[in-house]
Coordinates of all heavy atoms in Angstrom, one line a residue:
M74 N -22.9 -21.1 7.4 CA -21.9 -20.4 6.5 C -22.7 -19.3 5.7 O -22.0 -18.4 5.2 CB -21.2 -21.3 5.6 CG -20.2 -20.6 4.8 SD -18.9 -21.6 4.3 CE -19.1 -21.6 2.6
S75 N -24.0 -19.4 5.6 CA -24.7 -18.4 4.8 C -24.5 -17.0 5.3 O -24.4 -16.0 4.5 CB -26.2 -18.7 4.7 OG -26.8 -18.6 6.0
D76 N -24.4 -16.8 6.6 CA -24.2 -15.4 7.1 C -22.8 -14.9 6.8 O -22.6 -13.7 6.6 CB -24.5 -15.3 8.6 CG -23.8 -16.3 9.5 OD1 -23.3 -17.4 9.0 OD2 -23.6 -16.1 10.7
R77 N -21.8 -15.8 6.7 CA -20.5 -15.4 6.2 C -20.5 -15.0 4.8 O -19.9 -14.0 4.4 CB -19.5 -16.6 6.4 CG -19.4 -17.2 7.8 CD -19.2 -16.1 8.9 NE -19.7 -16.7 10.1 CZ -20.7 -16.2 10.8 NH1 -21.3 -15.1 10.4 NH2 -21.1 -16.7 11.9
M78 N -21.2 -15.7 4.0 CA -21.4 -15.3 2.6 C -22.1 -13.9 2.5 O -21.7 -13.1 1.7 CB -22.1 -16.4 1.7 CG -21.3 -17.6 1.6 SD -19.7 -17.4 0.8 CE -20.2 -16.9 -0.9
H79 N -23.1 -13.8 3.3 CA -23.8 -12.5 3.3 C -22.9 -11.4 3.6 O -23.0 -10.3 3.0 CB -25.0 -12.6 4.4 CG -25.8 -11.3 4.4 ND1 -25.6 -10.4 5.4 CD2 -26.7 -10.8 3.6 CE1 -26.4 -9.4 5.2 NE2 -27.1 -9.6 4.1
H80 N -22.0 -11.5 4.5 CA -21.0 -10.5 4.8 C -20.2 -10.1 3.6 O -20.0 -8.9 3.3 CB -20.1 -10.8 6.0 CG -19.2 -9.7 6.4 ND1 -19.6 -8.7 7.2 CD2 -17.9 -9.4 6.0 CE1 -18.6 -7.8 7.3 NE2 -17.6 -8.3 6.6
L81 N -19.7 -11.1 2.9 CA -18.9 -10.8 1.6 C -19.8 -10.1 0.6 O -19.3 -9.2 -0.1 CB -18.4 -12.1 1.1 CG -17.3 -12.8 1.9 CD1 -17.0 -14.2 1.2 CD2 -16.1 -12.0 1.9
L82 N -21.0 -10.5 0.5 CA -21.9 -9.9 -0.5 C -22.2 -8.4 -0.1 O -22.2 -7.6 -1.0 CB -23.2 -10.7 -0.6 CG -23.0 -12.2 -1.1 CD1 -24.4 -12.9 -1.1 CD2 -22.4 -12.2 -2.4
R83 N -22.4 -8.2 1.2 CA -22.7 -6.8 1.6 C -21.4 -6.0 1.4 O -21.6 -4.8 1.0 CB -23.1 -6.9 3.1 CG -23.6 -5.5 3.6 CD -24.0 -5.6 5.1 NE -22.9 -5.9 5.9 CZ -22.8 -6.8 6.9 NH1 -23.9 -7.5 7.1 NH2 -21.8 -7.0 7.6
N84 N -20.3 -6.5 1.7 CA -19.0 -5.7 1.4 C -18.9 -5.4 -0.1 O -18.6 -4.3 -0.4 CB -17.8 -6.5 1.8 CG -17.4 -6.4 3.3 OD1 -18.1 -5.7 4.0 ND2 -16.3 -7.0 3.7
A85 N -19.2 -6.3 -0.9 CA -19.2 -6.1 -2.4 C -20.1 -4.9 -2.8 O -19.7 -4.0 -3.5 CB -19.5 -7.3 -3.1
R86 N -21.3 -5.0 -2.2 CA -22.3 -3.9 -2.5 C -21.8 -2.5 -2.0 O -21.9 -1.5 -2.7 CB -23.6 -4.2 -1.9 CG -24.7 -3.2 -2.3 CD -26.1 -3.5 -1.7 NE -26.0 -3.4 -0.2 CZ -26.5 -4.3 0.6 NH1 -27.1 -5.3 0.2 NH2 -26.4 -4.1 1.9
Q87 N -21.2 -2.5 -0.9 CA -20.6 -1.3 -0.3 C -19.5 -0.7 -1.1 O -19.2 0.4 -1.1 CB -20.2 -1.5 1.1 CG -21.3 -1.7 2.1 CD -20.9 -2.1 3.5 OE1 -19.7 -2.4 3.7 NE2 -21.8 -2.1 4.4
D88 N -18.8 -1.6 -1.9 CA -17.7 -1.2 -2.7 C -18.1 -1.1 -4.2 O -17.3 -1.3 -5.1 CB -16.5 -2.2 -2.6 CG -15.8 -2.1 -1.2 OD1 -15.8 -1.0 -0.7 OD2 -15.3 -3.1 -0.7
A89 N -19.3 -0.8 -4.4 CA -19.9 -0.5 -5.7 C -20.0 -1.6 -6.7 O -20.1 -1.4 -7.9 CB -19.1 0.7 -6.4
A90 N -20.0 -2.8 -6.2 CA -20.1 -4.0 -7.1 C -21.5 -4.1 -7.7 O -22.5 -3.8 -6.9 CB -19.8 -5.3 -6.4
T91 N -21.6 -4.4 -8.9 CA -22.9 -4.7 -9.5 C -23.1 -6.1 -10.0 O -24.1 -6.5 -10.4 CB -23.1 -3.8 -10.8 OG1 -22.1 -4.0 -11.7 CG2 -23.1 -2.3 -10.4
Q92 N -22.0 -6.9 -9.8 CA -22.0 -8.3 -10.2 C -21.1 -9.1 -9.2 O -20.0 -8.6 -8.9 CB -21.6 -8.5 -11.6 CG -21.6 -10.0 -12.0 CD -21.2 -10.1 -13.5 OE1 -21.3 -9.2 -14.3 NE2 -20.8 -11.3 -13.9
I93 N -21.6 -10.2 -8.8 CA -20.8 -11.1 -7.9 C -21.0 -12.5 -8.5 O -22.1 -13.0 -8.8 CB -21.4 -11.1 -6.5 CG1 -21.3 -9.7 -5.9 CG2 -20.6 -12.1 -5.6 CD1 -22.1 -9.5 -4.6
D94 N -19.8 -13.2 -8.7 CA -19.8 -14.5 -9.2 C -19.2 -15.4 -8.1 O -18.1 -15.1 -7.6 CB -18.9 -14.6 -10.5 CG -19.5 -13.8 -11.6 OD1 -20.8 -14.0 -11.8 OD2 -18.8 -13.1 -12.3
I95 N -19.9 -16.5 -7.8 CA -19.4 -17.5 -6.9 C -19.2 -18.8 -7.6 O -20.1 -19.3 -8.2 CB -20.3 -17.7 -5.7 CG1 -20.5 -16.3 -4.9 CG2 -19.8 -18.8 -4.7 CD1 -21.5 -16.4 -3.8
T96 N -18.0 -19.3 -7.6 CA -17.6 -20.5 -8.4 C -17.0 -21.6 -7.4 O -16.1 -21.2 -6.6 CB -16.6 -20.1 -9.4 OG1 -17.1 -19.1 -10.2 CG2 -16.3 -21.3 -10.3
Y97 N -17.4 -22.8 -7.6 CA -16.8 -23.9 -6.9 C -15.7 -24.4 -7.7 O -15.8 -24.7 -8.9 CB -17.8 -25.0 -6.6 CG -17.2 -26.2 -5.9 CD1 -16.7 -26.1 -4.6 CD2 -17.1 -27.4 -6.6 CE1 -16.1 -27.2 -4.0 CE2 -16.5 -28.5 -6.0 CZ -16.0 -28.4 -4.7 OH -15.4 -29.5 -4.2
V98 N -14.5 -24.6 -7.1 CA -13.3 -25.2 -7.8 C -13.0 -26.5 -7.1 O -12.5 -26.6 -6.0 CB -12.1 -24.2 -7.6 CG1 -10.9 -24.8 -8.4 CG2 -12.4 -22.8 -8.1
A99 N -13.4 -27.6 -7.8 CA -13.2 -28.9 -7.3 C -11.8 -29.3 -7.0 O -11.5 -30.0 -6.0 CB -13.9 -29.9 -8.3
E100 N -10.9 -28.9 -7.8 CA -9.5 -29.3 -7.7 C -8.9 -28.8 -6.3 O -8.0 -29.5 -5.8 CB -8.6 -28.7 -8.8 CG -8.9 -29.2 -10.2 CD -10.1 -28.5 -10.8 OE1 -10.5 -27.4 -10.4 OE2 -10.7 -29.1 -11.7
T101 N -9.3 -27.7 -5.8 CA -8.8 -27.2 -4.6 C -9.9 -27.2 -3.5 O -9.6 -26.7 -2.4 CB -8.3 -25.7 -4.7 OG1 -9.4 -24.9 -5.2 CG2 -7.1 -25.7 -5.7
D102 N -11.0 -27.7 -3.8 CA -12.2 -27.8 -2.8 C -12.4 -26.4 -2.2 O -12.3 -26.2 -1.0 CB -12.0 -28.8 -1.7 CG -13.3 -29.2 -1.0 OD1 -14.3 -28.9 -1.6 OD2 -13.2 -29.8 0.0
S103 N -12.6 -25.4 -3.1 CA -12.7 -24.1 -2.6 C -13.8 -23.3 -3.4 O -14.3 -23.8 -4.4 CB -11.4 -23.3 -2.7 OG -11.0 -23.3 -4.1
L104 N -14.3 -22.2 -2.8 CA -15.2 -21.3 -3.4 C -14.5 -20.0 -3.8 O -13.7 -19.5 -2.9 CB -16.4 -21.0 -2.5 CG -17.3 -22.1 -2.1 CD1 -18.4 -21.5 -1.1 CD2 -18.1 -22.6 -3.3
L105 N -14.7 -19.5 -5.0 CA -14.2 -18.2 -5.4 C -15.3 -17.3 -5.3 O -16.4 -17.5 -5.9 CB -13.5 -18.3 -6.8 CG -12.3 -19.1 -6.9 CD1 -11.8 -19.0 -8.4 CD2 -11.2 -18.6 -6.0
N106 N -15.1 -16.2 -4.7 CA -16.1 -15.1 -4.6 C -15.5 -13.9 -5.3 O -14.6 -13.2 -4.8 CB -16.4 -14.8 -3.1 CG -17.5 -13.8 -3.0 OD1 -18.7 -14.1 -3.2 ND2 -17.2 -12.6 -2.6
K107 N -16.0 -13.6 -6.5 CA -15.4 -12.5 -7.3 C -16.5 -11.4 -7.6 O -17.6 -11.8 -8.0 CB -14.9 -13.1 -8.6 CG -14.5 -12.1 -9.7 CD -13.0 -11.6 -9.4 CE -12.5 -10.8 -10.5 NZ -12.7 -9.4 -10.4
D108 N -16.1 -10.2 -7.3 CA -17.1 -9.1 -7.7 C -16.4 -8.1 -8.6 O -15.2 -8.1 -8.8 CB -17.6 -8.5 -6.4 CG -16.6 -7.7 -5.6 OD1 -15.9 -6.8 -6.2 OD2 -16.5 -7.9 -4.4
N109 N -17.2 -7.2 -9.1 CA -16.6 -6.1 -10.0 C -16.6 -4.8 -9.3 O -16.6 -3.7 -9.9 CB -17.4 -6.1 -11.3 CG -18.9 -5.6 -11.1 OD1 -19.4 -5.6 -9.9 ND2 -19.5 -5.2 -12.1
G110 N -16.5 -4.8 -8.0 CA -16.4 -3.5 -7.2 C -15.0 -3.1 -7.1 O -14.1 -3.3 -8.0
T111 N -14.7 -2.4 -6.0 CA -13.3 -1.9 -5.8 C -12.4 -3.0 -5.4 O -12.7 -3.9 -4.6 CB -13.4 -0.9 -4.6 OG1 -14.3 0.1 -4.9 CG2 -12.0 -0.2 -4.4
A112 N -11.2 -3.1 -6.1 CA -10.3 -4.1 -5.8 C -9.6 -3.9 -4.5 O -9.5 -2.8 -4.0 CB -9.2 -4.1 -6.9
I113 N -9.1 -4.9 -3.9 CA -8.3 -4.9 -2.7 C -6.8 -4.7 -3.1 O -6.3 -5.4 -3.9 CB -8.4 -6.2 -1.8 CG1 -9.9 -6.3 -1.5 CG2 -7.6 -6.1 -0.6 CD1 -10.2 -7.7 -0.9
S114 N -6.2 -3.7 -2.5 CA -4.8 -3.4 -2.9 C -3.9 -4.6 -2.4 O -4.2 -5.3 -1.5 CB -4.3 -2.1 -2.2 OG -4.1 -2.3 -0.8
K115 N -2.8 -4.8 -3.1 CA -1.9 -5.8 -2.8 C -1.4 -5.7 -1.4 O -1.2 -6.6 -0.6 CB -0.7 -5.9 -3.8 CG -1.1 -6.4 -5.1 CD 0.0 -6.4 -6.1 CE -0.6 -6.8 -7.5 NZ 0.4 -6.9 -8.5
R116 N -1.2 -4.4 -1.0 CA -0.7 -4.1 0.4 C -1.7 -4.6 1.5 O -1.3 -5.0 2.5 CB -0.5 -2.6 0.5 CG 0.0 -2.2 1.9 CD 0.3 -0.7 1.8 NE 0.7 -0.3 3.1 CZ -0.1 0.5 3.9 NH1 -1.2 1.0 3.5 NH2 0.4 0.9 5.1
N117 N -3.0 -4.6 1.2 CA -4.0 -5.0 2.1 C -4.5 -6.4 2.1 O -5.2 -6.9 2.9 CB -5.2 -4.0 2.0 CG -4.9 -2.6 2.4 OD1 -4.0 -2.4 3.2 ND2 -5.7 -1.7 1.9
Q118 N -4.1 -7.1 1.0 CA -4.6 -8.5 0.9 C -4.3 -9.4 2.0 O -5.2 -10.2 2.4 CB -4.0 -9.1 -0.4 CG -4.6 -8.6 -1.6 CD -4.0 -9.1 -2.9 OE1 -3.1 -9.9 -2.9 NE2 -4.5 -8.7 -4.0
D119 N -3.2 -9.3 2.7 CA -2.8 -10.2 3.8 C -3.4 -9.7 5.1 O -3.3 -10.3 6.1 CB -1.3 -10.3 3.9 CG -0.7 -11.0 2.8 OD1 -1.4 -11.9 2.2 OD2 0.5 -10.8 2.5
R120 N -4.0 -8.5 5.1 CA -4.5 -7.9 6.3 C -6.1 -8.0 6.4 O -6.6 -7.5 7.4 CB -4.1 -6.5 6.4 CG -2.6 -6.4 6.4 CD -1.9 -5.1 6.3 NE -2.7 -3.9 6.3 CZ -2.2 -2.7 6.4 NH1 -0.9 -2.5 6.6 NH2 -3.0 -1.6 6.4
I121 N -6.7 -8.6 5.5 CA -8.2 -8.5 5.5 C -8.9 -9.1 6.7 O -9.9 -8.7 7.1 CB -8.8 -9.1 4.2 CG1 -8.5 -10.6 4.2 CG2 -8.4 -8.4 2.9 CD1 -9.4 -11.4 3.4
A122 N -8.2 -10.1 7.3 CA -8.8 -10.8 8.5 C -8.2 -10.4 9.8 O -8.5 -11.0 10.8 CB -8.7 -12.3 8.3
V123 N -7.4 -9.3 9.8 CA -6.8 -8.9 11.0 C -7.8 -8.0 11.8 O -8.4 -7.1 11.2 CB -5.5 -8.0 10.7 CG1 -5.0 -7.4 12.0 CG2 -4.4 -8.8 10.0
P124 N -8.1 -8.4 13.0 CA -9.1 -7.7 13.7 C -8.8 -6.2 13.8 O -7.7 -5.8 14.0 CB -9.1 -8.3 15.1 CG -8.6 -9.7 14.9 CD -7.6 -9.5 13.8
F125 N -9.8 -5.4 13.6 CA -9.8 -3.9 13.6 C -9.1 -3.3 12.4 O -9.0 -2.1 12.4 CB -9.2 -3.4 14.9 CG -9.9 -4.0 16.1 CD1 -9.3 -4.9 17.0 CD2 -11.2 -3.6 16.4 CE1 -10.0 -5.4 18.0 CE2 -11.9 -4.1 17.5 CZ -11.3 -5.1 18.3
F126 N -8.6 -4.1 11.5 CA -8.1 -3.5 10.3 C -9.2 -3.1 9.3 O -10.1 -3.9 9.0 CB -7.1 -4.4 9.5 CG -6.7 -3.8 8.2 CD1 -5.8 -2.8 8.1 CD2 -7.3 -4.3 7.0 CE1 -5.5 -2.2 6.9 CE2 -7.0 -3.8 5.8 CZ -6.1 -2.7 5.7
T127 N -9.3 -1.9 8.9 CA -10.3 -1.4 8.0 C -9.8 -0.3 7.1 O -9.0 0.5 7.6 CB -11.6 -1.0 8.7 OG1 -12.6 -0.7 7.7 CG2 -11.4 0.1 9.7
T128 N -10.3 -0.2 6.0 CA -10.1 1.0 5.1 C -11.3 1.8 5.1 O -11.4 2.8 4.3 CB -9.7 0.5 3.7 OG1 -10.8 -0.2 3.1 CG2 -8.4 -0.3 3.6
K129 N -12.3 1.5 5.9 CA -13.6 2.2 5.8 C -14.0 2.8 7.2 O -15.1 2.9 7.5 CB -14.7 1.2 5.4 CG -14.5 0.6 4.1 CD -15.6 -0.5 3.8 CE -15.3 -1.2 2.5 NZ -16.1 -2.3 2.3
R130 N -13.0 3.1 8.0 CA -13.3 3.7 9.3 C -14.1 4.9 9.2 O -15.0 5.1 10.0 CB -12.0 4.0 10.0 CG -12.2 4.4 11.5 CD -11.3 3.8 12.5 NE -10.4 2.7 12.3 CZ -10.7 1.5 12.7 NH1 -11.8 1.1 13.3 NH2 -9.8 0.5 12.4
D131 N -13.9 5.8 8.2 CA -14.7 7.0 8.0 C -16.1 6.8 7.7 O -17.0 7.6 8.0 CB -14.1 7.9 6.9 CG -12.7 8.5 7.3 OD1 -12.4 8.5 8.5 OD2 -12.0 8.9 6.4
A132 N -16.4 5.6 7.2 CA -17.8 5.2 6.8 C -18.4 4.3 7.9 O -19.4 3.7 7.7 CB -17.8 4.5 5.5
G133 N -17.7 4.2 9.1 CA -18.3 3.5 10.2 C -17.8 2.0 10.3 O -18.2 1.3 11.1
G134 N -16.8 1.7 9.4 CA -16.3 0.3 9.5 C -15.5 0.1 10.8 O -14.8 0.9 11.2
T135 N -15.6 -1.1 11.3 CA -14.9 -1.5 12.5 C -13.7 -2.4 12.3 O -12.9 -2.5 13.2 CB -15.9 -2.2 13.5 OG1 -16.3 -3.5 12.9 CG2 -17.1 -1.3 13.9
G136 N -13.7 -3.0 11.1 CA -12.6 -4.0 10.9 C -12.8 -5.3 11.5 O -11.9 -6.1 11.6
M137 N -14.0 -5.6 11.9 CA -14.3 -6.9 12.6 C -15.0 -7.9 11.6 O -15.0 -9.1 11.9 CB -15.1 -6.7 13.8 CG -14.3 -6.0 14.9 SD -12.8 -6.9 15.4 CE -13.5 -8.5 16.0
G138 N -15.7 -7.4 10.6 CA -16.5 -8.2 9.7 C -15.7 -9.4 9.1 O -16.1 -10.6 9.4
L139 N -14.6 -9.2 8.4 CA -13.9 -10.3 7.8 C -13.1 -11.0 8.8 O -12.8 -12.2 8.7 CB -13.0 -9.8 6.7 CG -13.8 -9.4 5.4 CD1 -12.9 -8.7 4.4 CD2 -14.5 -10.5 4.8
A140 N -12.7 -10.4 9.9 CA -12.0 -11.1 11.0 C -13.0 -12.1 11.6 O -12.5 -13.3 11.9 CB -11.6 -10.1 12.1
I141 N -14.2 -11.8 11.8 CA -15.2 -12.7 12.3 C -15.4 -13.9 11.3 O -15.5 -15.0 11.6 CB -16.5 -12.0 12.6 CG1 -16.3 -11.1 13.9 CG2 -17.6 -13.0 12.9 CD1 -17.4 -10.2 14.2
V142 N -15.6 -13.5 10.0 CA -15.7 -14.5 8.9 C -14.6 -15.5 9.0 O -14.8 -16.7 9.0 CB -15.8 -13.9 7.6 CG1 -15.7 -14.9 6.5 CG2 -17.1 -13.1 7.4
A143 N -13.3 -15.0 9.1 CA -12.1 -15.9 9.1 C -12.2 -16.8 10.4 O -11.8 -17.9 10.3 CB -10.9 -15.0 9.1
A144 N -12.6 -16.2 11.5 CA -12.6 -17.0 12.8 C -13.6 -18.1 12.7 O -13.3 -19.2 13.2 CB -12.9 -16.0 14.0
V145 N -14.8 -17.8 12.2 CA -15.8 -18.8 12.1 C -15.4 -19.9 11.1 O -15.5 -21.1 11.3 CB -17.2 -18.2 11.6 CG1 -18.2 -19.3 11.3 CG2 -17.7 -17.3 12.8
L146 N -14.8 -19.5 10.0 CA -14.3 -20.5 9.0 C -13.2 -21.4 9.6 O -13.2 -22.6 9.4 CB -13.8 -19.8 7.7 CG -14.9 -19.3 6.8 CD1 -14.3 -18.4 5.7 CD2 -15.8 -20.4 6.3
K147 N -12.4 -20.8 10.4 CA -11.3 -21.6 11.1 C -11.9 -22.6 12.0 O -11.3 -23.7 12.1 CB -10.4 -20.6 11.9 CG -9.2 -21.3 12.5 CD -8.3 -20.3 13.2 CE -7.1 -21.0 13.8 NZ -6.2 -20.1 14.5
Q148 N -13.0 -22.3 12.6 CA -13.6 -23.3 13.5 C -14.1 -24.5 12.8 O -14.3 -25.6 13.4 CB -14.8 -22.6 14.3 CG -14.4 -21.6 15.3 CD -15.6 -21.0 16.0 OE1 -16.7 -21.2 15.6 NE2 -15.3 -20.2 17.0
I149 N -14.4 -24.4 11.5 CA -14.9 -25.5 10.7 C -13.8 -26.0 9.8 O -14.0 -26.7 8.8 CB -16.2 -25.2 9.9 CG1 -16.0 -24.1 9.0 CG2 -17.3 -25.0 10.9 CD1 -17.1 -23.9 8.0
N150 N -12.5 -25.7 10.1 CA -11.4 -26.1 9.3 C -11.4 -25.6 7.9 O -11.1 -26.3 6.9 CB -11.2 -27.6 9.3 CG -11.0 -28.1 10.7 OD1 -10.2 -27.6 11.5 ND2 -11.7 -29.2 11.1
A151 N -11.8 -24.4 7.7 CA -11.7 -23.7 6.4 C -11.0 -22.4 6.6 O -10.8 -22.0 7.7 CB -13.1 -23.5 5.9
R152 N -10.7 -21.7 5.5 CA -10.0 -20.4 5.6 C -10.4 -19.5 4.4 O -10.8 -20.0 3.4 CB -8.5 -20.6 5.7 CG -7.9 -21.1 4.4 CD -6.4 -21.4 4.6 NE -5.9 -21.9 3.4 CZ -4.8 -21.4 2.7 NH1 -4.2 -20.4 3.2 NH2 -4.4 -22.0 1.6
I153 N -10.2 -18.2 4.6 CA -10.5 -17.3 3.6 C -9.3 -16.4 3.3 O -8.5 -16.1 4.3 CB -11.7 -16.3 4.0 CG1 -12.1 -15.4 2.8 CG2 -11.4 -15.6 5.2 CD1 -13.4 -14.7 3.0
E154 N -9.0 -16.1 2.1 CA -7.9 -15.2 1.8 C -8.3 -14.4 0.5 O -9.1 -14.8 -0.3 CB -6.6 -15.9 1.6 CG -6.7 -16.9 0.5 CD -5.4 -17.8 0.4 OE1 -4.7 -18.0 1.4 OE2 -5.0 -18.2 -0.7
A155 N -7.8 -13.2 0.5 CA -8.0 -12.3 -0.7 C -6.9 -12.7 -1.7 O -5.8 -13.0 -1.3 CB -7.8 -10.8 -0.3
E156 N -7.3 -12.7 -3.0 CA -6.3 -13.0 -4.0 C -6.2 -11.8 -4.9 O -7.1 -11.0 -5.0 CB -6.8 -14.2 -4.8 CG -6.8 -15.5 -3.9 CD -6.8 -16.7 -4.7 OE1 -7.1 -16.7 -5.9 OE2 -6.6 -17.8 -4.1
P157 N -5.1 -11.7 -5.7 CA -4.9 -10.6 -6.6 C -6.0 -10.5 -7.6 O -6.4 -11.5 -8.2 CB -3.5 -10.9 -7.2 CG -2.9 -11.8 -6.3 CD -3.9 -12.6 -5.7
S158 N -6.4 -9.3 -7.9 CA -7.4 -9.1 -8.9 C -7.3 -7.6 -9.3 O -7.3 -6.7 -8.5 CB -8.8 -9.4 -8.4 OG -9.8 -9.0 -9.4
E159 N -7.3 -7.4 -10.6 CA -7.2 -6.0 -11.1 C -8.6 -5.3 -11.2 O -8.6 -4.1 -11.1 CB -6.6 -6.0 -12.5 CG -5.2 -6.5 -12.6 CD -4.2 -5.7 -11.8 OE1 -4.3 -4.4 -11.8 OE2 -3.3 -6.2 -11.1
D160 N -9.6 -6.1 -11.2 CA -10.9 -5.5 -11.4 C -11.9 -6.1 -10.4 O -12.7 -7.0 -10.7 CB -11.4 -5.7 -12.8 CG -11.4 -7.2 -13.2 OD1 -10.8 -8.0 -12.6 OD2 -12.2 -7.5 -14.2
G161 N -11.9 -5.6 -9.2 CA -12.8 -6.0 -8.2 C -12.1 -6.9 -7.1 O -10.9 -7.1 -7.2
A162 N -12.9 -7.3 -6.2 CA -12.3 -8.1 -5.1 C -12.5 -9.6 -5.4 O -13.4 -10.0 -6.0 CB -13.0 -7.8 -3.8
L163 N -11.5 -10.4 -5.0 CA -11.5 -11.8 -5.2 C -11.1 -12.5 -3.9 O -10.0 -12.3 -3.4 CB -10.5 -12.2 -6.3 CG -10.4 -13.7 -6.6 CD1 -11.7 -14.3 -7.0 CD2 -9.3 -13.9 -7.7
F164 N -12.0 -13.3 -3.4 CA -11.8 -14.1 -2.2 C -11.8 -15.6 -2.5 O -12.7 -16.0 -3.3 CB -12.8 -13.8 -1.1 CG -12.8 -12.4 -0.6 CD1 -13.6 -11.4 -1.2 CD2 -11.9 -12.0 0.4 CE1 -13.6 -10.1 -0.7 CE2 -11.9 -10.7 0.9 CZ -12.7 -9.7 0.3
R165 N -11.0 -16.3 -1.8 CA -11.0 -17.8 -1.9 C -11.3 -18.3 -0.5 O -10.7 -18.0 0.4 CB -9.7 -18.4 -2.4 CG -9.7 -19.9 -2.4 CD -8.3 -20.5 -2.9 NE -8.0 -20.0 -4.2 CZ -8.4 -20.6 -5.3 NH1 -9.1 -21.7 -5.3 NH2 -8.0 -20.2 -6.5
I166 N -12.4 -19.1 -0.5 CA -12.7 -19.8 0.8 C -12.3 -21.3 0.5 O -12.9 -21.9 -0.4 CB -14.2 -19.7 1.1 CG1 -14.6 -18.3 1.3 CG2 -14.5 -20.6 2.3 CD1 -16.0 -18.0 1.5
E167 N -11.3 -21.7 1.2 CA -10.7 -23.1 1.0 C -11.1 -24.0 2.1 O -10.9 -23.7 3.3 CB -9.2 -23.0 0.8 CG -8.6 -24.3 0.4 CD -7.1 -24.1 0.0 OE1 -6.8 -23.0 -0.5 OE2 -6.4 -25.0 0.2
F168 N -11.6 -25.2 1.8 CA -12.0 -26.2 2.7 C -10.9 -27.2 2.8 O -10.4 -27.7 1.8 CB -13.3 -26.8 2.3 CG -14.4 -25.8 2.2 CD1 -14.7 -25.2 0.9 CD2 -15.1 -25.4 3.3 CE1 -15.7 -24.2 0.8 CE2 -16.1 -24.4 3.2 CZ -16.4 -23.8 1.9
T169 N -10.5 -27.6 4.0 CA -9.5 -28.6 4.2 C -10.1 -30.0 4.1 O -11.3 -30.1 4.1 CB -8.7 -28.4 5.5 OG1 -9.7 -28.6 6.6 CG2 -8.1 -27.1 5.6
A170 N -9.2 -31.0 4.0 CA -9.7 -32.4 4.0 C -10.5 -32.7 5.2 O -11.4 -33.6 5.1 CB -8.5 -33.3 3.9
D171 N -10.3 -32.1 6.3 CA -11.1 -32.4 7.5 C -12.1 -31.3 7.8 O -12.5 -31.1 8.9 CB -10.2 -32.6 8.7 CG -9.3 -31.4 9.0 OD1 -9.2 -30.5 8.1 OD2 -8.6 -31.3 10.0
Y172 N -12.6 -30.7 6.7 CA -13.7 -29.7 6.8 C -14.9 -30.4 7.5 O -15.2 -31.5 7.3 CB -14.1 -29.3 5.4 CG -15.4 -28.5 5.4 CD1 -15.5 -27.2 5.9 CD2 -16.6 -29.1 4.8 CE1 -16.7 -26.5 5.8 CE2 -17.8 -28.4 4.8 CZ -17.8 -27.1 5.3 OH -19.0 -26.4 5.3
E173 N -15.5 -29.6 8.4 CA -16.5 -30.2 9.3 C -17.7 -29.2 9.3 O -17.6 -28.1 9.7 CB -15.9 -30.4 10.7 CG -16.8 -31.0 11.6 CD -16.1 -31.2 13.0 OE1 -14.9 -31.5 13.0 OE2 -16.8 -31.1 14.0
I174 N -18.9 -29.7 8.9 CA -20.1 -28.9 9.1 C -20.6 -29.0 10.5 O -20.8 -30.1 11.0 CB -21.2 -29.3 8.1 CG1 -20.7 -29.1 6.6 CG2 -22.5 -28.6 8.3 CD1 -21.6 -29.6 5.6
R175 N -20.8 -27.9 11.1 CA -21.3 -27.9 12.5 C -22.6 -27.3 12.6 O -23.0 -26.4 12.0 CB -20.3 -27.2 13.4 CG -19.0 -27.9 13.5 CD -18.1 -27.1 14.4 NE -16.8 -27.8 14.4 CZ -15.8 -27.4 15.0 NH1 -15.8 -26.4 15.8 NH2 -14.6 -28.0 15.0

C-alpha cells in the first residue's frame, strides 16, 4: 500500500501542497489523507478513479494514477473516495471488515 500512498503524496505536491496530514479514524476503520493544495471540485469528486479522467492532461497527466490506486485497493477489499474540502484535497481510504493484506 505504500506505493498507493506515494501516489497521493506526489499528487498533493503537484497541486502545490505544502502540508499533508494522514489520520486514522477508528470508528470507520479508514485513513484520511488531507492536503493544503488545490481542492478537488465537487463536479470531479466522483470521477477521480475513472480511468483516463484527468484535469492535468496539458501537464502530461494520463488519468491512470488514481484509477490504479482504486483498483489495487479494491483487490484488498478497501476503497478510496474524494470528500468535500474547501481548502485542499481530502481523500478517505476505507477498509472493509474483510480487509485483507496481501
